Amino acid sequence: MSATAGASRIQRVGVVGGGQMGAGIAEVCARAGIDTVVAESDAAAARAAGERVAVSLERAVQRGKLDRISAEDALARLVFTGDLEDLADRQLVIEAVTENPDAKAEVFTALDKIVEDREAVLATNTSAIPIMRLGMATGRADRVVGLHFFNPVPVLPLVEVVSSLHTSADTVATVESFARDALGKTMVRSQDRAGFVVNALLVPYLLSAIRMAESGYASAADVDAGMELGCAHPMGPLKLADLIGLDTVAAIAESLYEEFKEPLFAPPPLLQRMVQAGLLGRKSGRGFHMYGRA
């Protein structure tokens, strides 16, 4: 299959989950001219997802990144639903629910029964969960692949493409062509290992920063200032952890530790307590720093 053929055959995309990542994925698909359906857990969550995308598009217009007509056209290509059955005719479905292996596997089992085209691709936006586990929750593991976007999806150009031992070459070619030619993204390939490329490198660094703050070695503000001003990082590690979401950081750390049994990959107690307390970073208004409520 040629790259062009792969891109042209994906005209109908579904996204499962309309949170921060799912909404961003849906937005870039709609902005690329693709018929996009976002499925949430119920009608109220679907409405919230629609509002999330509308706010993001309006922000892009106000910042001069998108013209008003293009934003309106993108919204017109989006449908938000509380019924997973509405994804039956999709050619590509991208799962973006909470970073929990059981929850994701349940979605894939349901999609396997719902999506009618047996050649359709079922992709996951997981940050760290093995693709094989999700593929084996279906009867079409050869059509299951990791398609990991980065936050904020409309801004960051990278997508990680992750194959399991069962993922077919045609599936990989299809999603790579789609991400590159339809969405204008840049791709890196990864083996099916917890954390893939980016988070396998990034998250241990974030955990080290959390341990430094936890021990009182340095304040959160000083840790971030040190890396921003001393290493020219655009954002300090604790600000970045807040942006990602401390629950997501903890989930990735748990996946890394489960796979590699490296003690430094385990989530520090402070991170676990903050997640238990609902102090998740930007999305909750408080993490290692304070924010206006999302």
Side-chain angles (χ1 to χ4, degrees):
M1 178 191 304
S2 69
T4 303
S8 63
R9 80 182 196 182
I10 302 293
Q11 301 296 324
R12 299 185 303 280
V13 170
V15 179
V16 183
Q20 189 174 47
M21 292 302 296
I25 294 167
E27 179 183 333
V28 297
C29 289
R31 285 172 64 167
I34 296 161
D35 172 6
T36 306
V37 176
V38 180
E40 258 290 3
S41 56
D42 54 41
R47 285 193 297 273
E51 291 168 3
R52 196 169 288 117
V53 175
V55 167
S56 178
L57 288 168
E58 180 61 27
R59 187 182 301 121
V61 171
Q62 294 300 322
R63 292 177 177 175
K65 304 294 184 182
L66 189 68
D67 64 79
R68 177 70 60 187
I69 293 175
S70 296
E72 291 173 354
D73 287 346
L75 277 175
R77 296 186 191 100
L78 284 159
V79 172
F80 297 88
T81 177
D83 189 350
L84 207 61
E85 297 279 350
D86 290 335
L87 303 181
D89 69 341
R90 301 291 96 178
Q91 298 164 302
L92 167 66
V93 179
I94 305 169
E95 169 275 317
V97 302
T98 184
E99 194 71 3
N100 176 288
D102 293 332
K104 288 182 182 292
E106 184 178 339
V107 168
F108 274 83
T109 298
L111 289 173
D112 187 38
K113 298 172 182 176
I114 290 168
V115 179
E116 296 168 353
D117 183 359
R118 301 306 291 182
E119 294 300 307
V121 175
L122 306 181
T124 175
N125 184 59
T126 181
S127 302
I129 295 168
I131 308 306
M132 178 62 74
R133 175 169 183 174
L134 303 180
M136 295 305 288
T138 76
R140 52 175 107 180
D142 62 315
R143 307 303 292 173
V144 175
V145 67
L147 200 57
H148 180 216
F149 293 80
F150 291 81
N151 183 41
V153 181
V155 176
L156 294 186
L158 186 69
V159 174
E160 288 180 314
V161 177
V162 188
S163 305
S164 79
L165 294 173
H166 281 309
T167 306
S168 70
D170 178 72
T171 299
V172 172
T174 297
V175 297
E176 287 189 344
S177 176
F178 171 76
R180 179 183 62 245
D181 301 332
L183 303 185
K185 297 293 187 180
T186 299
M187 289 153 299
V188 294
R189 288 190 183 188
S190 172
Q191 295 296 314
D192 189 15
R193 299 290 185 272
F196 314 134
V197 174
V198 174
N199 282 317
L201 294 170
L202 174 65
V203 170
Y205 159 66
L206 301 183
L207 298 178
S208 294
I210 293 169
R211 289 190 182 95
M212 185 171 282
E214 179 180 47
S215 69
Y217 190 95
S219 69
D222 285 346
V223 169
D224 283 338
M227 296 310 294
E228 291 168 9
L229 303 178
C231 293
H233 287 198
M235 184 179 295
L238 300 177
K239 289 180 184 175
L240 180 55
D242 281 349
L243 176 63
I244 293 168
L246 299 188
D247 51 342
T248 300
V249 173
I252 298 169
E254 288 165 359
S255 293
L256 287 168
Y257 180 72
E258 181 178 350
E259 179 132 316
F260 299 109
K261 299 301 186 289
E262 165 57 60
L264 291 176
F265 291 170
L270 175 61
L271 176 61
Q272 295 174 315
R273 297 296 179 272
M274 292 177 75
V275 171
Q276 291 166 359
L279 307 178
L280 306 180
R282 283 186 178 271
K283 60 187 173 184
S284 69
R286 178 183 167 191
F288 288 98
H289 302 279
M290 299 293 292
Y291 306 91
R293 188 65 185 243

